[in-house]
Amino acid sequence: MKKISLVVPMYYEEKVVNECYKRLTDVLKKLENYDYEIIFINDGSKDKTLDLLQEIANKDKKIKVISFSRNFGHQCAVEAGLNYVSGDAIVIIDADLQDPPESIPEMVKLWEEGNKVVYGKRKTRKGESAFKLFTAKMFYKTLNSLSDVDIPKDTGDFRLVDRDVVEVLKSLPEHNKFLRGLWSWVGFKQTPYEYEREERFAGETKYPLKKMLKLAFDGIIGFSTKPLKFIGTLGLFSIFVSFLIMIYTIVSFVASRNLVTGWASIMVAVTFFAGVQLVSIYILSEYIGRIYAESQNRPRYIIEKKINFEEEN
């Protein structure tokens, strides 16, 4: 009998734990000829999320729980779940129920047709502000323009992935894994599943602007060297501007125009080149920071507690 594994990251989700469990299990129980497991990852929540998960896991052995020692981030939580799955197909879904669990059977059908990755593609995004929609659109547009890998638009982490693809992903040694990009990078036969994204069942989004920007930088730095090439282009442009300043100064001097000596060259050169240098240093620091993180070889996360994994230890 084939098995479906669900990976569900949770961070301060005490308001949705029970409803999430109910809807997921209701869907999975209706899948004929399939066994299932649900792996909840508590990403360092300090509310009642872990207590509620433990209560559920004590009653239902198909529910497994991984709890981090602190908050390591959504992508680390997903990665931890992937490292412990035992199913033939793995579904990654958030706990907030914006991505409807009722879509899973249709995704399973697409997987049975031979697709190794079935990624959720949002037709609509209910309950999200115009600013959120605009920034999401710009995120994918910018990422695809800079990346060498085509990352589908209007997609998130919600997807079904074949076990073979998960094993390939787990074998990648890099520290900062931008999962949305890596799913595209590994290849295999992939197809979209379009759906309408609902509003959050309860609670607040765990991806404010700050985290979205970090995710965007992870994607750009992890999948493109174009920012480094941009520095070279910026350097050539700055040289061209410096020549224009020099020509302007010489012409002004020859024409005996009323020009304060050195004013134009100093002001323009100082402000322009200071900006070029700061931008260049920032871009370089992002890449160097990633190299430093890789060289430290620290674990991506630390597990404080595991529940219902005894049979696999």
Side-chain angles (χ1 to χ4, degrees):
M1 180 181 290
K2 290 184 178 179
K3 187 175 184 179
I4 306 294
S5 296
L6 265 63
V7 174
V8 189
M10 286 198 160
Y11 182 58
Y12 284 92
E13 298 288 7
E14 64 178 7
K15 295 180 180 179
V16 303
V17 169
N18 290 320
E19 182 66 17
C20 180
Y21 164 71
K22 179 181 181 300
R23 284 181 61 181
L24 290 175
T25 52
D26 285 348
V27 169
L28 293 171
K29 287 177 180 178
K30 294 176 182 178
L31 285 175
E32 297 181 358
N33 302 319
Y34 279 100
D35 191 10
Y36 71 88
E37 67 177 359
I38 305 176
I39 301 179
F40 290 103
I41 302 92
N42 175 46
D43 187 18
S45 307
K46 301 301 182 184
D47 59 357
K48 296 180 180 180
T49 298
L50 180 58
D51 295 334
L52 293 171
L53 289 174
Q54 186 156 359
E55 288 178 11
I56 293 171
N58 290 338
K59 299 175 183 178
D60 187 347
K61 296 304 178 183
K62 290 184 180 293
I63 305 304
K64 301 177 181 180
V65 180
I66 296 172
S67 184
F68 287 169
S69 61
R70 65 169 177 83
N71 176 240
F72 284 91
H74 181 272
Q75 298 289 285
C76 290
V78 172
E79 187 178 344
L82 295 175
N83 287 335
Y84 284 90
V85 293
S86 59
D88 301 286
I90 295 88
V91 176
I92 303 167
I93 186 169
D94 287 340
D96 55 21
L97 301 175
Q98 285 187 281
D99 302 320
E102 292 74 19
S103 300
I104 294 175
E106 293 298 322
M107 300 175 83
V108 171
K109 288 181 181 179
L110 290 170
W111 171 64
E112 290 173 340
E113 293 173 3
N115 296 289
K116 294 288 189 177
V117 177
V118 182
Y119 56 88
K121 186 173 183 180
R122 304 153 183 161
K123 290 191 293 185
T124 58
R125 303 174 63 152
K126 299 178 182 179
E128 295 187 353
S129 65
F131 176 75
K132 175 76 172 180
L133 295 173
F134 173 75
T135 53
K137 182 179 179 179
M138 292 305 298
F139 165 70
Y140 284 104
K141 186 175 182 179
T142 303
L143 185 58
N144 279 320
S145 66
L146 293 176
S147 176
D148 297 326
V149 178
D150 184 27
I151 300 173
K153 298 178 181 178
D154 297 319
T155 61
D157 292 299
F158 181 43
R159 64 191 64 220
L160 182 150
V161 189
D162 188 89
R163 181 60 181 261
D164 292 340
V165 182
V166 171
E167 292 301 322
V168 171
L169 186 74
K170 287 165 61 176
S171 70
L172 301 178
E174 62 194 80
H175 185 79
N176 287 292
K177 290 182 178 179
F178 178 62
L179 296 176
R180 297 182 192 181
L182 288 174
W183 295 128
S184 298
W185 182 86
V186 296
F188 296 98
K189 186 178 180 181
Q190 306 195 12
T191 189
Y193 172 78
E194 294 190 343
Y195 70 101
E196 294 186 0
R197 197 171 201 230
E198 302 294 333
E199 297 183 36
R200 283 185 62 91
F201 174 77
E204 299 177 352
T205 178
K206 306 307 185 297
Y207 258 103
L209 180 61
K210 182 179 179 181
K211 287 190 176 181
M212 285 299 297
L213 288 174
K214 182 183 183 303
L215 187 66
F217 279 119
D218 285 342
I220 293 171
I221 300 300
F223 282 85
S224 177
T225 57
K226 289 182 181 179
L228 293 174
K229 297 175 182 178
F230 172 73
I231 293 177
T233 303
L234 202 60
L236 292 174
F237 178 71
S238 64
I239 293 173
F240 174 72
V241 171
S242 67
F243 272 111
L244 291 180
I245 294 173
M246 181 182 66
I247 293 170
Y248 172 76
T249 305
I250 292 173
V251 171
S252 298
F253 178 77
V254 172
S256 299
R257 294 174 60 183
N258 185 21
L259 180 70
V260 177
T261 304
W263 180 87
S265 59
I266 291 175
M267 291 301 297
V268 175
V270 168
T271 55
F272 181 79
F273 289 111
V276 169
Q277 289 172 355
L278 290 174
V279 170
S280 301
I281 290 171
Y282 173 73
I283 294 173
L284 287 171
S285 68
E286 283 292 325
Y287 283 93
I288 294 171
R290 301 305 169 93
I291 296 171
Y292 175 63
E294 294 288 342
S295 67
Q296 288 177 314
N297 200 29
R298 292 175 182 169
R300 288 262 288 163
Y301 53 84
I302 298 173
I303 296 176
E304 183 177 16
K305 189 174 187 178
K306 291 192 295 182
I307 304 173
N308 286 346
F309 285 93
E310 292 79 12
E311 68 276 8
E312 299 172 13
N313 291 338

